[in-house]
Amino acid sequence: MIEIPRCSVMTPELFNSRYKNKRPVILTATISDWLPVTTWKPEYLEWALSEEGAQVKVLVSHDNQHFINHPDVTELVAMPSRDFVSMVFRCSERDENENTKQRNYKRVYLRTLSMPDRLYRDVIVPKQVTDLAEKIYVEKPGRNLQIYDKPDCGIEQLVEESYSSVTQSVDEDPRSVRTTKYGSLVHQTEHYSVADSEDSDYDSMAESGISVYPFFRQATMQLWIGTRGNVTPLHYDRNHGLLAQIVGRKELLLFSPEDTSNLYPYPSYSNRSHTSRVNLRELETEGSRFPKLEDAQRYHCILQPGELLYMPPFWWHDVTSLDDCVSITLPWDLDTSDPIPASMLM
Ligand SMILES: O=C(O)CCC(=O)C(=O)O
């Protein structure tokens, strides 16, 4: 088993030559003092999730362990956001009080397919990350592609403006201390750059000769909030993935796309072709059914709060929540020049 390397300072040069499209890596310092990491406590999450009405839709697993959005594995259940947050977080407080070793509880997983507005205000993608991904803007339909090299040239003012209007509209924010290591929320724009903005911002950039399509978009960011012991079974995604760990720890096993034939994916005609038929938790029984699994090279890590994991496209991953967890996935699309591994074209 290979431990996924950790890196505290990542330059675009190092990233492009060593990791991009090649192998996973953990960035240890990029989001360690990020607003979500330092301020997303249960009562704040409860407030933020209640914005769209009192209900949230969460996945409940048929076997109380595995979670993918597929009717064979889970069902989607609506519940009051307050109940959901209590189910996830107050449970562990209660368990600690009762000193129980084994929790007998219903596991739940909230997995949004876009970032809820109130939480999105806190998700200011660190400049170090936008720098890594900066060369892969996608052409906006009907416009000329023009890549900007430094996210803070020309766009900075728009960012400042849109961000100051955000700070005026968060009056009810229940976090009593809304300051960070850097001072206030507004002050943070000196250290971070917003990669996503309203479409109108992009229109005005286009007018001033800058035409970009945001790749860290609210609509494609995913929020994951769930109970300890939740498993997202072995699957791959077609995009570059950044998994930002906000609360709790997650254990991941990864496999390269070159090992695809050793991982027994569902058939290509099925709607689960990006998932594996192997249950990595039942290897004693599964091992004999899936003998080639032994040949697959495993990559492993335990992702800590404040760490950011880069997963190249098509890398298989299996995720176990070791604690009650909050994470964010920041995906960015494949570039047209990205190689598709031969193993994925068969
Ligand atoms: O955190 C999880 O449970 C799954 C995350 C994942 O699959 C992803 O970010 O692509």
Side-chain angles (χ1 to χ4, degrees):
M1 193 149 71
I2 297 177
E3 277 304 308
I4 296 174
R6 288 181 151 77
C7 181
S8 59
V9 179
M10 180 66 77
T11 61
E13 293 71 32
L14 178 62
F15 181 69
N16 286 330
S17 64
R18 209 172 150 63
Y19 300 108
K20 189 180 165 204
N21 281 315
K22 295 193 179 86
R23 53 181 69 83
V25 63
I26 296 171
L27 308 184
T28 54
T30 310
I31 59 159
S32 53
D33 50 13
W34 209 24
L35 205 55
V37 174
T38 53
T39 69
W40 285 11
K41 307 282 181 257
E43 48 296 345
Y44 175 66
L45 291 170
E46 191 178 306
W47 170 80
L49 292 174
S50 60
E51 179 182 31
E52 302 291 340
Q55 304 263 314
V56 285
K57 284 194 175 151
V58 302
L59 290 174
V60 173
S61 160
H62 298 327
D63 69 359
N64 202 30
Q65 185 178 32
H66 292 87
F67 292 84
I68 53 169
N69 200 357
H70 192 283
D72 286 353
V73 183
T74 54
E75 68 177 302
L76 211 47
V77 173
M79 64 172 67
S81 52
R82 175 183 294 265
D83 293 358
F84 167 69
V85 173
S86 299
M87 264 177 105
V88 176
F89 295 105
R90 316 267 192 256
C91 249
S92 36
E93 284 166 21
R94 187 204 59 213
D95 283 358
E96 272 159 30
N97 292 343
E98 292 172 2
N99 204 15
T100 43
K101 290 228 163 54
Q102 198 74 38
R103 270 202 322 195
N104 184 16
Y105 59 90
K106 195 152 191 71
R107 295 199 174 102
V108 282
Y109 219 161
L110 172 73
R111 176 193 164 167
T112 65
L113 290 177
S114 92
M115 187 57 64
D117 285 345
R118 282 181 178 168
L119 295 177
Y120 179 65
R121 289 168 188 158
D122 295 342
V123 180
I124 301 167
V125 178
K127 186 172 175 315
Q128 197 186 15
V129 174
T130 60
D131 280 356
L132 297 183
E134 72 186 277
K135 292 273 186 254
I136 56 166
Y137 285 103
V138 183
E139 188 168 4
K140 206 163 186 177
R143 305 226 176 115
N144 293 330
L145 176 64
Q146 190 175 335
I147 298 167
Y148 67 87
D149 276 332
K150 297 223 172 3
D152 50 24
C153 76
I155 295 173
E156 192 66 16
Q157 194 190 342
L158 282 166
V159 169
E160 288 282 355
E161 281 167 11
S162 64
Y163 204 63
S164 346
S165 65
V166 164
T167 57
Q168 280 157 20
S169 59
V170 291
D171 291 344
E172 317 134 64
D173 187 333
R175 291 170 293 189
S176 50
V177 182
R178 289 175 47 230
T179 53
T180 68
K181 181 178 147 193
Y182 302 122
S184 68
L185 293 177
V186 175
H187 194 190
Q188 257 198 342
T189 52
E190 288 173 17
H191 302 265
Y192 294 94
S193 155
V194 175
D196 189 5
S197 298
E198 293 301 318
D199 250 13
S200 57
D201 290 347
Y202 285 90
D203 288 343
S204 48
M205 282 186 224
E207 276 159 28
S208 59
I210 302 170
S211 176
V212 293
Y213 192 65
F215 53 92
F216 289 120
R217 280 171 286 149
Q218 180 175 10
T220 55
M221 286 179 188
Q222 286 190 33
L223 172 70
W224 308 77
I225 303 181
T227 32
R228 179 169 19 134
N230 287 6
V231 169
T232 301
L234 194 58
H235 71 285
Y236 69 85
D237 302 305
R238 299 178 65 88
N239 48 264
H240 298 264
L242 286 167
L243 183 62
Q245 193 55 20
I246 310 300
V247 175
R249 296 161 306 148
K250 279 185 173 167
E251 180 164 29
L252 287 100
L253 275 177
L254 284 87
F255 299 87
S256 137
E258 305 310 326
D259 268 323
T260 297
S261 63
N262 294 328
L263 300 176
Y264 302 89
Y266 280 90
S268 51
Y269 55 80
S270 87
N271 59 2
R272 291 178 70 178
S273 59
H274 67 299
T275 61
S276 164
R277 289 183 286 142
V278 182
N279 180 349
L280 291 177
R281 267 141 223 90
E282 290 176 7
L283 278 187
E284 284 96 63
T285 45
E286 299 282 86
S288 53
R289 285 175 62 211
F290 303 112
K292 288 196 289 176
L293 191 64
E294 281 225 332
D295 299 334
Q297 174 64 63
R298 290 159 177 243
Y299 292 74
H300 171 264
C301 72
I302 294 182
L303 199 61
Q304 306 286 338
E307 291 188 328
L308 186 66
L309 170 68
Y310 167 70
M311 291 184 278
F314 302 107
W315 272 66
W316 292 85
H317 46 288
D318 171 283
V319 188
T320 307
S321 296
L322 299 181
D323 305 301
D324 302 320
C325 280
V326 179
S327 323
I328 301 172
T329 306
L330 305 167
W332 83 75
D333 290 342
L334 284 179
D335 183 21
T336 47
S337 62
D338 280 331
I340 310 282
S343 52
M344 308 313 285
L345 296 172
M346 292 192 303

